[in-house]
Structures are given as structure tokens and as C-alpha cells.
Amino acid sequence: MRSSLSRRGFLATGSGLAAAALPALSGCSPFASADSDPGTLIVHTQLGTTAPGSPTYKAVVQEFHAEHPGLRVKNLVNGDDLPQVYETSRLARKEPDVVMVNLYDKTLAWTEVGATVDVKGYLDDWGLRERVLPAALEEWTDSEGRLRAFPYFATNWPVAYNTSLLERAGVGSVPTTGDQLIGAARKLRGKGIAPVTVGGNDWTGQKLLAQIIQTFLTPDEARKVYASGDFSGSRGVREGIDYFVELRDAGVFADKAQGLTSDTMTTQYNTEAAAIQSAMSSALAKVPARTAGHTEIGGWPLAPGAAHDKPTILRSYTLIGFWISPNGVRKISSVEKFLRFMYRPEVASRFITESGRDMALVTDTVSKDFPLVAEAQRLGSRVGQVLLPDLYVPPTATQPLITATSTAFTRGTSAAAVRSALESAYRTD
């Protein structure tokens, strides 16, 4: 797997870049104190604002404080810019002790280049391996056998169907084939209802495009495609792109999908302006009760000759993990206390019951107060599963693939042009 950071590049530039960065960071107390107080554990997290699970996380940290009066957790909160902020702090040798972030894009290279440490030994020494789902351990382990982080959050990524809107348009059941989906889209449009809403200009569109492309691909074939960027070399990938183009030009996706975002998508579905969306479980948790009351959860419809025998969904166990930094190793006893606490069954269950999160940990708890999340958790063998490509796409291609996705969702763009746009995302001149 290629990386946007080489070991030599990341670490060798550290001294020079850190020297340049230190004056700017000197007034930033979180970074300045990151390695100065043995009684404070610095945790860099995306949980702290509006991210699902934030209130629960804040509450359990307070419980941790009550149980460990001599140890304080200090949270540094960032959103999508967390990886970049962390890398800057690491280059200055002022990085936080623990990082809570997903395995995606830049973070794929962190353990390889020494920005974070292999945690496999800690997982075993602390007796926590049995708490983690085997599939999660597999996804978080790199090709060299290094466990990048302690797995924590997972996600289901099914398809939500508003049965009330489908019935209003004269569609009697949730579509399970491409022809049924095209027919449903035509009827929905006839009633002024957008069929499938999707963020064609961001990561949500990229994931749905990847899901549809895999219609005629086995998991092994999909891995090769997304690792290499060869979207022309096999019959299966060409047929998958042809299927996507057929659906797009038949009007299956909302108007001007190439300019929509995840926020637009969720707004359209939640306000019942659109009948269908591909939504990860954190989005399902936010569907209003009225809309959720007539939403059915299923998979993406298949075409004849598909490599799958049931409509497909995405699943991933890499949504958030606990990464340990080189600074964190110096406070490893404090890190152990914190992670043992977070891995307790009753703590993990709170994220499920209070926040509607899926977990990468072994649990029997179900999101009862989040009915759509619970329904997705119960799908089981009623759906097939395709590959989430995030672990295989080279980091240098991640953002260019978003641009290529917008091109793909633009009506009238030929299948050949879609293939060319996707392949161009892998070329970094």
C-alpha cells in the first residue's frame, strides 16, 4: 500500500518542521502541556461537539475522574481536521497521549511511520483481546501484523427506504433489483419526490459509488481494484460502472446529485423530500421519529448476474479507535487505566443505548431508543455485504476520488469517462 508519508519523510522532517512550528505552538497550552504533567492524560478526540456519542463520552470521562481522583483526562477536540492537527503536533514532539479517530486516509500510515505505536502487545497484556470482535481486529491490523489502535466504534451502512413515500408514488414494496429501482424512481419523480438522495460531492457519494461498482465483484477482486486504481482491467468492474451509469441516467439519484453533500442528503431524507438514502448508522440515529416510523432498512438493489445473491450493505469496524502516541507510551500506566475503563461492557453499552452507536466490541446490547440503528443491527444474513474501500485506497488518492465521484454523478458522463476520472485519482504527478 502506498502512503502519503514515508517513514523517512515524516520523521526526518520532524526536527526542521518542529523547529519552525514551535514558536506558533508556544502559546497553545494543550500542545505545550502534552508531555509535562504525569497526572494528566491528553486525549485528542472527535467526540466533544455535535458528533454522535459526544454527550456519552463526556459523561463517562467524568465517571473515570471520580474513580481515579489522581488522574485527569484532558480532551483536545477537533473535527475532520484532527489528523492534520495531530500530525503537526507530532512533528513538534508535542502530540497528545491518546488519539480517538477513524482508520482512513492519512491515518492509515501513522503506525507505519512511527507517528503512533503498535498496540497489539498492550491489547494482550491488558487482557482485552476477547472484548474485540475478530473482524475488527482484522481490519485494524496492517499488512505487517501491527495493530494500529484499540478498535471501538463500528458502523452499519444500509439503505433507508421511506415506505410512505413509496406507497404515495404507487410503489408497493421496497425495490430489490435495479429494474425495480428504476421503475420506483420514475413513479417517485412523477409525484415530485426525489428518489435516492446522496452526497455526490463528498464521501457519502464516494461510498455509494464504490458499493454499486462492486455489484459484479468479489471481495478479493474489489480489493485489487481499489488498491491499484485499475477500473478498466476486469469485466466485473466495467459492468459495475455501467450499472451505475444506467441507474444515474435513468434518474435514480436526486437532481444535481454531483453537487450535494452529506448534510443535504440527510436533510432531504429526514424532511421526506427524498424517499431513499444510503446512510451509516450515525445518520440513522438522527432520523426524526415521524420519518423513522415509516422507514424500512435494507440493502442496495442488484442487477442480473451480480456477484451477490442479496441486496448489499457496507459494514466497517474502523470508525473510531484508541491510538497510542509515542508520548502516550511514557504514560502507559495511565493509558492502561483509561482504556480498561472504556472497554468495560457497561461503558461500551452506554454508547449503544444513549447515542445509537455501533461498537467494534463484543456486546449483546441493542440500540432500543434508536429503532433504525437497531433494525440495521438485526439485518444479519438478510443482506449481502460489499467491501468498504477505505483500507485499500492509497491516502494520496482519497481526496481526488471525491472529485472523481462528483464527475461520476454528473448525468450524461459516459462510463468510459467515469473510469478515466477514477483512474486519474490514483495518478499523483
Side-chain angles (χ1 to χ4, degrees):
M1 179 183 296
R2 287 184 295 165
S3 167
S4 59
L5 297 170
S6 68
R7 175 177 292 273
R8 176 175 296 182
F10 187 95
L11 299 181
T13 57
S15 57
L17 193 123
L22 278 173
L25 291 171
S26 62
C28 184
S29 59
F31 289 159
S33 64
D35 59 355
S36 61
D37 182 3
T40 299
L41 191 67
I42 308 296
V43 178
H44 200 175
T45 180
Q46 291 176 314
L47 299 181
T49 53
T50 60
S54 295
T56 300
Y57 175 68
K58 292 177 181 177
V60 298
V61 166
Q62 291 306 311
E63 290 184 7
F64 178 80
H65 287 159
E67 194 172 301
H68 299 84
L71 179 59
R72 176 174 174 252
V73 173
K74 183 173 184 178
N75 290 299
L76 308 178
V77 180
N78 283 99
D80 292 341
D81 61 338
L82 185 151
Q84 184 62 50
V85 175
Y86 175 77
E87 289 181 6
T88 301
S89 67
R90 172 59 194 153
L91 290 174
R93 301 300 188 266
K94 298 292 183 181
E95 80 274 5
D97 306 309
V98 175
V99 189
M100 295 175 63
V101 71
N102 60 332
L103 183 58
Y104 175 64
D105 194 10
K106 290 184 176 186
T107 69
L108 287 166
W110 279 0
T111 307
E112 176 189 350
V113 302
T116 54
V117 303
D118 178 2
V119 304
K120 181 170 58 178
Y122 297 125
L123 183 79
D124 291 327
D125 291 347
W126 300 344
L128 298 177
R129 178 173 290 271
E130 297 304 314
R131 291 283 298 121
V132 187
L133 294 169
L137 288 174
E138 182 178 352
E139 289 191 1
W140 281 93
T141 300
D142 69 15
S143 60
E144 300 299 321
R146 294 173 294 232
L147 183 62
R148 296 175 173 104
F150 285 76
Y152 206 62
F153 283 176
T155 187
N156 281 318
W157 206 319
V159 183
Y161 296 89
N162 187 316
T163 55
S164 178
L165 294 182
L166 291 175
E167 290 170 5
R168 188 190 307 173
V171 181
S173 61
V174 166
T176 59
T177 70
D179 287 342
Q180 291 173 1
L181 180 59
I182 290 172
R186 289 171 179 161
K187 291 180 179 180
L188 287 163
R189 286 183 174 277
K191 294 293 185 179
I193 302 167
V196 178
T197 180
V198 59
N201 196 34
D202 67 9
W203 53 276
T204 53
Q206 188 240 332
K207 299 302 184 294
L208 181 56
L209 174 60
Q211 183 174 358
I212 297 171
I213 286 175
Q214 292 181 65
T215 299
F216 301 94
L217 295 174
T218 66
D220 284 342
E221 290 170 336
R223 287 186 190 94
K224 292 176 183 177
V225 167
Y226 278 96
S228 68
D230 183 0
F231 291 88
S232 304
S234 74
R235 178 179 177 181
V237 72
R238 293 194 302 271
E239 288 180 334
I241 293 173
D242 288 344
Y243 180 43
F244 169 80
V245 169
E246 178 187 0
L247 295 176
R248 184 202 64 202
D249 288 349
V252 162
F253 304 111
D255 291 342
K256 299 180 180 179
Q258 71 273 18
L260 303 183
T261 66
S262 59
D263 288 341
T264 313
M265 179 188 79
T266 54
T267 298
Q268 287 188 343
Y269 189 82
N270 291 353
T271 60
E272 303 193 82
I276 304 167
Q277 70 167 342
S278 169
M280 64 194 305
S281 49
S282 57
L284 295 177
K286 295 182 178 181
V287 176
R290 180 176 181 276
T291 304
H294 41 250
T295 290
E296 183 174 328
I297 300 299
W300 185 261
L302 298 177
H308 313 272
D309 58 4
K310 298 172 185 175
T312 63
I313 70 168
L314 294 161
R315 287 192 181 102
S316 173
Y317 300 96
T318 59
L319 202 59
I320 278 186
F322 294 98
W323 308 64
I324 300 177
S325 75
N327 274 340
V329 173
R330 301 186 182 99
K331 300 180 184 178
I332 201 62
S333 63
S334 297
V335 174
E336 178 182 358
K337 291 183 178 71
F338 180 63
L339 292 188
R340 281 182 179 275
F341 179 87
M342 295 300 293
Y343 261 49
R344 288 180 184 174
E346 63 272 21
V347 173
S349 292
R350 288 189 61 178
F351 285 98
I352 300 172
T353 58
E354 296 175 11
S355 303
R357 300 304 310 229
D358 287 305
M359 305 301 290
L361 305 184
V362 176
T363 179
D364 293 326
T365 306
V366 177
S367 302
K368 294 180 181 178
D369 292 337
F370 300 88
L372 300 186
V373 178
E375 189 176 343
Q377 291 167 342
R378 292 191 295 262
L379 280 173
S381 61
R382 288 185 287 145
V383 293
Q385 182 176 338
V386 297
L387 193 76
L388 185 74
D390 293 2
L391 301 181
Y392 309 100
V393 174
T396 52
T398 299
Q399 291 307 313
L401 273 178
I402 301 297
T403 302
T405 296
S406 181
T407 299
F409 274 98
T410 302
R411 292 186 69 172
T413 305
S414 69
V418 172
R419 289 195 296 271
S420 178
L422 293 171
E423 290 174 344
S424 294
Y426 285 71
R427 294 196 287 269
T428 55
D429 299 328

